[in-house]
Amino acid sequence: MDAVKLGIAGLGRGFMLSLPALRAHPAIRLAGAYDIRSDARARFATEFDAADHSTLDGLLADQIIDAIYVATPHELHAEQTIAALNAGKHVLVEKPMATSVAECAAMARCATSNGRVLIVGPSHGFDEQIIRAAQLVASGEYGPVRLVTTFNFTDFMYRPRRPEELDDARGGGVIYSQAAHQIDVVRRIIGQDVTGIRAVTGNWDTSRPSDGAYAALITFAGGAAASLTYSGYGHYDSDELVGWIGELGQVKDSARYGDARRKLASLSREDEMAAKLARTYGMDSELPNRPPHNEHFGFLLVSCERADFKVLPNSIEVFGDEVRETIAIAPPTIPRTAVVEEFASAIAGEKPPVHDGNWGLTTTACCAALAQSSQTGTVIDPRTMIQEQSES
Ligand SMILES: NC(=O)c1ccc[n+]([C@@H]2O[C@H](COP(=O)([O-])OP(=O)(O)OC[C@H]3O[C@@H](n4cnc5c(N)ncnc54)[C@H](O)[C@@H]3O)[C@@H](O)[C@H]2O)c1
């Protein structure tokens, strides 16, 4: 079968993280790109012998292109995805799918009405150890799943950021960017509908005034619950609990305490924008092609009635009634291959996707419910939020 000719909208950091998998996958050919940065587009065109489009309309009118990877800032996802679907293209859209339930509902409907594939990712719900943990739960061997405990303490708030990434009104802070990963992980493992979320969010640093932390309790239709904690305030680093392996599978140096905060403190706002730009395509910011470990999203313990599973980047430790055993998880061939594989095989009609538009809609509704619960002090059911959209 011919390779899917993929056009890229947004040659930034998110694209860079997916690039090794996209470049290597036999079912994908990088065929065109659109970005507001003409130098990045020109470089892409040369590197991949691809088309350089100065407008999204131009990219979407290109008959060679079968599919679009939308990797622009959050607030552009809905409009660009809908335009691409209406132009007959399949779409892989970065997480978060968008920053409102209404937008995600419209995107999911648009994919269905055009008969096109829509995948939301990559998120850490695609990580190999998460898929294996989900399989262990689904096997029923250890009894029903009852509880998932997960937390991630990072320096997210002190990495170089665009202004909108620190503006809650535009989907900034950690709720849409980071809870989207954690919610995907627990939904994938538990495999039941979310019935309610009670959460408290935290906005603790007036110099980075958006939500940088949260604690949430999520209930599921089959009776399971998940506790999710996240802090991006750069103090404790929970990678300590997974063998000093970083989110991208890299080896971390535990002695470099406070690096992100210290580097940021020496930068003006202009320097910070330049540092953010330096991590995009075309700026010579190469990523290690094959980190030694699988990617991950923090500490994760899954409790079934007859065993707890500690899910680590390279193994799952099973603490059963009588025995404790370790299941090895193979290191990655190329990170983020799973999302490319899911996209390509859905387009080829080989396998129905897990992370389709409706999956992404539910995850975004959970993010919105998390934020709303903190504001109202009540339990919010994301299904009600989705229902309201389908009625409006
Ligand atoms: N899945 C992940 O692990 C992951 C990691 C990083 C980013 N992301 C996602 O990727 C998206 C982009 O974030 P980022 O960190 O890559 O940002 P970024 O600033 O590094 O990249 C954004 C890119 O979009 C381009 N751009 C901006 N406005 C545009 C427009 N109007 N039209 C076309 N191009 C435009 C910029 O020039 C830049 O190349 C976000 O939604 C983010 O959540 C996901």
Side-chain angles (χ1 to χ4, degrees):
M1 186 171 294
D2 284 350
V4 172
K5 264 71 97 207
L6 186 67
I8 313 295
L11 297 167
R13 170 76 176 165
F15 166 69
M16 285 290 283
L17 294 174
S18 299
L19 178 57
L22 291 170
R23 187 164 46 194
H25 202 288
I28 298 287
R29 180 160 84 71
L30 292 167
Y34 156 63
D35 193 291
I36 48 173
R37 293 181 299 122
S38 56
D39 46 350
R41 291 194 321 258
R43 178 138 168 196
F44 181 95
T46 305
E47 183 172 356
F48 299 107
D49 190 19
D52 167 347
H53 289 286
S54 59
T55 64
L56 181 66
D57 286 348
L59 180 70
L60 299 185
D62 187 337
Q63 293 302 313
I64 298 282
I65 307 267
D66 306 306
I68 305 287
Y69 172 25
V70 176
T72 46
H74 305 349
E75 56 195 341
L76 301 172
H77 289 184
E79 185 189 328
Q80 294 183 342
T81 296
I82 288 172
L85 292 166
N86 282 336
K89 315 294 186 190
H90 304 287
V91 175
L92 168 64
V93 59
E94 263 295 347
K95 67 84 219 162
M97 182 176 183
T99 54
S100 77
V101 180
E103 285 175 318
C104 294
M107 292 158 83
R109 275 197 304 268
C110 190
T112 306
S113 63
N114 283 294
R116 300 286 92 179
V117 170
L118 172 60
I119 304 283
V120 184
S123 77
H124 287 289
F126 286 86
D127 293 348
E128 180 60 22
Q129 67 275 25
I130 303 305
I131 294 164
R132 292 291 296 280
Q135 287 166 347
L136 276 181
V137 165
S139 76
E141 196 183 333
Y142 299 96
V145 62
R146 295 300 186 195
L147 180 64
V148 172
T149 306
T150 184
F151 52 86
N152 204 5
F153 284 68
T154 76
D155 56 16
F156 180 91
M157 295 299 282
Y158 300 104
R159 298 175 200 156
R161 296 281 167 216
R162 287 180 267 104
E164 59 268 36
E165 291 181 287
L166 296 172
D167 180 353
D168 286 343
R170 298 163 82 185
V174 300
I175 309 300
Y176 289 93
S177 270
Q178 299 291 277
H181 283 297
Q182 236 175 8
I183 290 164
D184 265 11
V185 165
V186 299
R187 287 185 61 213
R188 189 75 206 261
I189 289 173
I190 293 178
Q192 302 166 8
D193 284 352
V194 173
T195 55
I197 301 186
R198 176 71 179 92
V200 174
T201 62
N203 182 336
W204 304 338
D205 180 350
T206 50
S207 73
R208 315 285 276 176
S210 58
D211 283 330
Y214 57 83
L217 181 70
I218 305 186
T219 53
F220 289 81
S227 135
L228 281 61
T229 303
Y230 188 96
S231 168
Y233 283 116
H235 293 126
Y236 178 65
D237 183 345
S238 55
D239 288 340
E240 176 187 45
L241 300 175
V242 298
W244 288 112
I245 296 171
E247 179 183 349
L248 300 180
Q250 79 278 26
V251 175
K252 252 183 154 173
D253 180 356
S254 62
R256 293 177 65 174
Y257 179 77
D259 241 15
R261 190 187 282 273
R262 200 166 29 249
K263 276 186 197 149
L264 189 70
S266 68
L267 301 181
S268 66
R269 196 67 190 100
E270 253 173 25
D271 293 340
E272 182 179 351
M273 288 296 288
K276 171 80 190 177
L277 193 63
R279 287 150 59 97
T280 59
Y281 178 79
M283 304 297 286
D284 294 322
S285 62
E286 276 311 310
L287 293 163
N289 216 9
R290 287 179 199 216
H293 306 290
N294 286 297
E295 295 194 355
H296 72 90
F297 205 68
F299 179 84
L300 176 60
L301 193 67
V302 180
S303 302
C304 293
E305 277 185 10
R306 293 194 297 280
D308 290 335
F309 314 137
K310 186 160 89 169
V311 183
L312 295 164
N314 299 329
S315 64
I316 298 179
E317 285 182 42
V318 181
F319 298 77
D321 285 342
E322 278 150 34
V323 279
R324 175 179 166 176
E325 59 178 323
T326 300
I327 301 168
I329 307 286
T333 45
I334 298 179
R336 307 194 170 205
T337 296
V339 68
V340 180
E341 184 62 35
E342 186 168 316
F343 190 43
S345 59
I347 292 171
E350 291 164 1
K351 208 173 166 193
V354 174
H355 305 89
D356 62 7
N358 286 320
W359 172 279
L361 166 61
T362 296
T363 292
T364 307
C366 289
C367 294
L370 191 158
Q372 192 176 323
S373 172
S374 183
Q375 282 156 11
T376 60
T378 59
V379 175
I380 306 291
D381 184 340
R383 295 171 303 180
T384 310
M385 294 178 127
I386 293 171
Q387 186 64 30
E388 282 164 5
Q389 288 312 317
S390 63
E391 284 163 3
S392 65

